[in-house]
Structure formats: structure tokens, C-alpha cells
Amino acid sequence: MTVLSNIVVYTGGYLFLVFIAVCLATGLYYLAEMVEEYTRVTKKVLAWGIKISVVLHVLLLVVDRLPVLCIGVGIASQLAYHTLLKRFPFMEVTSKEFLGSSVMLVANHVVWMRHFNQGRQSVEYLLGFFLMVVWIVPFGFFVSLAANESVLPGGGLAGSGGGLGSGGFG
């Protein structure tokens, strides 16, 4: 009886998903361009994001009394992400820091998924929690992987002596 309206609704839903994907891709592209242009600011933003995330984990332990294991793995993950800042924006996917951060990201997912598997939270609640507690800092590093290819050697290192006033072309 409602065949045409169902076709219209499902077609519109799938088209909506395509539009969302295009918007996300455009936003990621823009963020990657900003990271390439402002690597030092990005490093500071990531450092502050890590600090805020650690404070958030402590608050979740004290205020909401979330499990110590989940909080401990979350803070350990943030410390692993902090090791990536030493050579930022130059990240090698085969370095021990990157591999350790990847392992900690998976471990963080596992402990939080096991915790939330015991209760009944809405999808929106879980997505919001995971975005703010688990994904936000790794997402920043993921977006900044593109900056690794476009930064000149020595441009992001302290005391590298790059530039015209250091005996180069001037």
C-alpha cells in the first residue's frame, strides 16, 4: 500500500548518508590542509588535548566512579600518544612509539567496550563518550599524518637552524 513512500524514504535515507560522507571527506581534507599549514599550532593543540583528556579521565574516576581499569588504560593511552609529540609532525608508522600508541588505542577500545557491554546505553551516548574519551586525540594524530609528507626536513625541529639567517642563502 505504501510502496512508493517506502521507496522515497529509503532513497532519501541513502542519499542523506552519501551527503554526510561527502561532508565528512571535505571536512577531513580541510583539517589536513590546516595541519599541513600550521604544524606547530597543531602540536600545541594535540598536547593540550592530551592534558585535557587525562584530566577528564581523572574526573570520570572521581565523579562518576567509572572502573579503575578503564581509566588506567585510558590514561596510559594518552601517555602513549604523548610520546608521538617528540618528533611531531614526523611520524613513522613502524616506530615503537606509533606501534605502542596503536596497541594502546585498541586496548582502550576493548576495555571501554567491555565496560559498556554490561549496561544499556543509547547509541548516541556511546558515540559521544567514545568521541570525547577514546577517539579525539588519536583522530588528531590521524589527520596530522598527511602533514608528515609536506613538511620540510628540519622545519619542525627545535634548534635546526633552518631559514635564511642561518648561513643559507643570505
Side-chain angles (χ1 to χ4, degrees):
M1 212 183 234
T2 59
V3 174
L4 183 59
S5 62
N6 281 340
I7 291 172
V8 169
V9 167
Y10 283 112
T11 304
Y14 289 127
L15 193 58
F16 183 71
L17 289 175
V18 169
F19 287 155
I20 287 176
V22 169
C23 289
L24 283 173
T26 304
L28 285 174
Y29 179 76
Y30 178 73
L31 283 175
E33 289 292 323
M34 295 300 291
V35 167
E36 288 177 14
E37 188 70 28
Y38 303 104
T39 55
R40 288 190 176 146
V41 173
T42 302
K43 183 176 181 177
K44 288 179 184 178
V45 167
L46 286 171
W48 273 102
I50 291 169
K51 292 173 188 173
I52 291 170
S53 186
V54 169
V55 169
L56 179 63
H57 278 82
V58 171
L59 288 173
L60 287 170
L61 177 66
V62 173
V63 175
D64 287 348
R65 300 187 191 279
L66 291 179
V68 174
L69 176 67
C70 295
I71 299 296
V73 172
I75 291 174
S77 296
Q78 299 303 318
L79 296 175
Y81 305 147
H82 190 268
T83 62
L84 292 172
L85 290 176
K86 287 185 227 170
R87 294 182 33 98
F88 186 84
F90 303 105
M91 289 186 283
E92 298 177 24
V93 294
T94 58
S95 69
K96 63 181 179 178
E97 292 87 5
F98 189 86
L99 294 175
S101 296
S102 300
V103 167
M104 290 308 297
L105 176 63
V106 171
N108 203 10
H109 272 90
V110 168
V111 295
W112 283 114
M113 288 300 282
R114 286 186 181 206
H115 169 70
F116 285 118
N117 199 18
Q118 299 169 357
R120 291 282 179 207
Q121 285 81 17
S122 67
V123 173
E124 297 85 9
Y125 180 89
L126 292 175
L127 286 175
F129 185 89
F130 269 77
L131 175 68
M132 296 305 294
V133 177
V134 179
W135 295 334
I136 195 79
V137 174
F139 179 73
F141 280 108
F142 173 74
V143 170
S144 64
L145 280 174
N148 188 15
E149 300 167 358
S150 64
V151 176
L152 294 174
L157 303 175
S160 63
L164 295 177
S166 62
F169 295 95

